[in-house]
Amino acid sequence: MGVTKWVVYYVHRYLRLTAPYLMVVLVEGFMYRQWVTGPFTWAVEGAHKACQDYWWANILYINNLVPWKANEVCLGHTWYLSNDMQFYIIAPIFIILLFWKPLAGIISSVAVIVGSAVATAVITYHYGLGPASAADLNQDQFWLLYNKPWIRIRAYQVGILGGWIYWKYGQALQDYVKRLPEWKKALVSGPLWAATCAIQWAVVFGLYDDIRSTRLDNKQPGVADSVSYGSLDRIAWPLALTVQIFLCQSGLGGFINSILSWKGWLVLARLTYSVYLLHLGLMSLMLVMIRHPFYFNPDFELAVWYLGVMMMSYLAAAVLYVCVEQPLAFLEALTYRK
């Protein structure tokens, strides 16, 4: 790939992510406090101060590192964009290795995954952290582990390896599955779907009792539980997801693949990035302005709040997409044609 294509590879990514991102930083970080009123406006002032001090870390995609503590970050939930951009920048190293020197690519990718898991184990043990932020008494787990790239990269690396494996063997897998009788397809796919869903359920809900114990009894999970969960969760989840993608792509997805392949998702998918940027700000805005007690119980009121925030997020995302994302994409297309 020539120099021009590499420049386009990075510039395209930066522009497409940054234009709507910068608009949200401007509105939520600097303009919210001009019209927000309510009993908790001090929270808006705190967000404004963070953006005033560290807005530049956002557009440089280093706000998972600067500031070091996540409670000082401008638009706190956007720490993941920095992880994603950092991984995107270094991804070609592993992809090129896998393409030209497969063994070296596999070894280097596995080394990153193992190194990330070991780093998680060491940091968790050294600082006595819980397995997740919700099960950590001193609340240091988030900024020491949760948002850091050397902890997050193992899931990304599993994805790179999975993509390479499917690129190399996917067609052969599809051809093999086509030759199988229906009963054999069910015999193969059924246990795999059950196993991967069980793994994902364990990753998401496995800490339920630990979180309850932390919140109600002020008792943090043991070191062994914290180290094992923290080291393996971001390997187990992407591995299970990778297997599920292989099943869908090879014709073993059944009704799940039919649901996920529905054309209607395309419209919502175009708004997903903007929804991600906007949703937490809308939630925060509603909570800051609320003037009556609100209880997070699984009842009708919370359902109404959830649906309301979701609809408002998609409506606001549609405006952001039409006014910022799509015009930029059009200008990019014109530029690249020339």
Side-chain angles (χ1 to χ4, degrees):
M1 205 162 68
V3 175
T4 303
K5 289 186 177 180
W6 279 116
V7 171
V8 170
Y9 171 83
Y10 288 113
V11 171
H12 166 74
R13 180 74 167 185
Y14 182 83
L15 291 177
R16 290 296 297 274
L17 289 183
T18 307
Y21 187 17
L22 193 57
M23 182 64 69
V24 175
V25 169
L26 174 65
V27 173
E28 291 189 17
F30 292 93
M31 296 175 63
Y32 259 20
R33 70 174 188 158
Q34 304 301 324
W35 66 74
V36 172
T37 60
F40 300 104
T41 50
W42 55 267
V44 178
E45 290 296 329
H48 169 74
K49 181 67 167 60
C51 287
Q52 192 175 41
D53 292 341
Y54 293 109
W55 63 270
W56 53 271
N58 291 59
I59 62 173
L60 291 177
Y61 294 94
I62 57 172
N63 66 327
N64 57 340
L65 302 171
V66 180
W68 185 254
K69 289 199 173 183
N71 60 352
E72 300 170 353
V73 172
C74 174
L75 269 66
H77 65 297
T78 60
W79 59 267
Y80 184 74
L81 290 179
S82 294
N83 279 282
D84 189 71
M85 180 64 80
Q86 291 156 12
F87 302 155
Y88 185 84
I89 289 170
I90 66 172
I93 298 172
F94 300 98
I95 295 171
I96 291 170
L97 274 176
L98 286 167
F99 185 79
W100 291 109
K101 301 287 184 181
L103 183 59
I106 293 170
I107 292 173
S108 61
S109 296
V110 171
V112 169
I113 294 169
V114 173
S116 174
V118 170
T120 302
V122 171
I123 294 170
T124 300
Y125 179 80
H126 179 73
Y127 289 99
L129 303 176
S133 296
D136 183 54
L137 288 176
N138 58 20
Q139 289 301 294
D140 287 335
Q141 201 269 357
F142 188 92
W143 63 271
L144 282 171
L145 282 178
Y146 192 82
N147 70 338
K148 295 299 181 276
W150 46 85
I151 305 303
R152 287 278 171 176
I153 194 171
R154 59 183 181 270
Y156 198 92
Q157 209 64 39
V158 169
I160 288 177
L161 272 176
W164 175 77
I165 292 170
Y166 189 80
W167 169 78
K168 194 168 182 65
Y169 303 108
Q171 188 59 54
L173 180 62
Q174 288 182 28
D175 294 340
Y176 173 75
V177 169
K178 286 178 182 178
R179 295 195 297 269
L180 292 177
E182 291 301 317
W183 68 270
K184 278 191 177 181
K185 291 181 182 179
L187 190 65
V188 171
S189 63
L192 285 174
W193 275 111
T196 53
C197 288
I199 290 170
Q200 291 169 330
W201 185 93
V203 170
V204 174
F205 298 107
L207 292 180
Y208 178 78
D209 290 334
D210 291 327
I211 292 172
R212 279 183 58 86
S213 179
T214 303
R215 297 301 185 192
L216 299 179
D217 304 326
N218 207 37
K219 182 182 177 182
Q220 187 170 291
V223 174
D225 290 343
S226 298
V227 168
S228 58
Y229 182 89
S231 302
L232 299 175
D233 62 336
R234 291 184 183 90
I235 298 175
W237 176 274
L239 273 176
L241 189 61
T242 299
V243 172
Q244 291 171 347
I245 292 171
F246 277 32
L247 289 170
C248 287
Q249 289 295 105
S250 60
L252 297 174
F255 74 92
I256 297 176
N257 186 58
S258 299
I259 293 171
L260 296 177
S261 301
W262 178 52
K263 300 294 184 183
W265 297 123
L266 292 174
V267 177
L268 297 179
R270 291 182 180 274
L271 302 177
T272 301
Y273 177 54
S274 293
V275 169
Y276 163 75
L277 290 175
L278 292 164
H279 79 285
L280 194 62
L282 289 169
M283 289 170 61
S284 302
L285 187 64
M286 294 175 71
L287 292 171
V288 164
M289 299 176 69
I290 195 170
R291 286 172 167 80
H292 61 82
F294 180 76
Y295 303 97
F296 286 92
N297 294 318
D299 56 13
F300 181 75
E301 184 180 10
L302 187 57
V304 171
W305 270 66
Y306 169 77
L307 294 172
V309 170
M310 183 176 69
M311 291 302 299
M312 288 176 64
S313 297
Y314 271 99
L315 288 173
V319 175
L320 186 61
Y321 178 81
V322 170
C323 294
V324 180
E325 282 195 76
Q326 190 56 34
L328 179 63
F330 179 72
L331 290 174
E332 271 196 297
L334 290 179
T335 304
Y336 296 153
R337 284 198 199 105
K338 295 179 181 179

